[in-house]
Amino acid sequence: MQIAVQDVLDRDRVVLVPPLARTLGTPATAMVPRRLVVTARVGDDRVVLDFHARTAARIANPSETSLRPFSVHETLGPCRVEAVIGGRLLAFETGGIVEFAGGAHD
């Protein structure tokens, strides 16, 4: 499996929720990938997921182990999937959600 990231989403397009998180001293958001391409291959089978983030939300959650919040980023945008499995081609486009987690101090 390979993962490639291209470009980053403008930080002004990443909404911090809940709105009160800013008053708790939550640090600036981490870089959010604008394009994420995941490819995998096993034998003759392969799959490619190509996701383009248009907007994102950063959800600041309380941490159970420290005073710093824990962040979950949810990105929304179009996604294209193309695969060959057992010699059969499968391809489709859809709206996608990609979620990733990280410390709010990242």
Side-chain angles (χ1 to χ4, degrees), residues 42-97:
V42 175
D44 292 332
D45 295 342
R46 64 177 174 82
V47 64
V48 177
L49 179 141
D50 191 354
F51 175 80
H52 294 260
R54 286 198 179 141
T55 188
R58 176 181 176 214
I59 304 164
N61 300 293
S63 172
E64 295 177 2
T65 59
S66 75
L67 294 176
R68 286 200 168 279
F70 177 79
S71 290
V72 174
H73 295 77
E74 292 192 0
T75 58
L76 304 173
C79 181
R80 175 158 175 76
V81 176
E82 185 175 305
V84 176
I85 300 172
R88 301 177 102 178
L89 176 64
L90 168 70
F92 61 92
E93 294 183 19
T94 186
I97 300 172

Side-chain angles (χ1 to χ4, degrees), residues 16 18 20-29 58 60 68-71 104-105:
L16 177 62
L20 289 177
R22 291 193 196 289
T23 64
L24 300 175
T26 305
T29 188
R58 176 181 176 214
R68 286 200 168 279
F70 177 79
S71 290
H105 58 282

Side-chain angles (χ1 to χ4, degrees), residues 2 4 10-11 14 28 32-35 41-42 47 52 55 61 66 80 88 96 98:
Q2 295 179 333
D10 182 346
R11 287 185 184 208
V14 181
V32 175
R34 181 181 300 275
R35 183 174 182 207
R41 179 180 292 269
V42 175
V47 64
H52 294 260
T55 188
N61 300 293
S66 75
R80 175 158 175 76
R88 301 177 102 178
V98 171

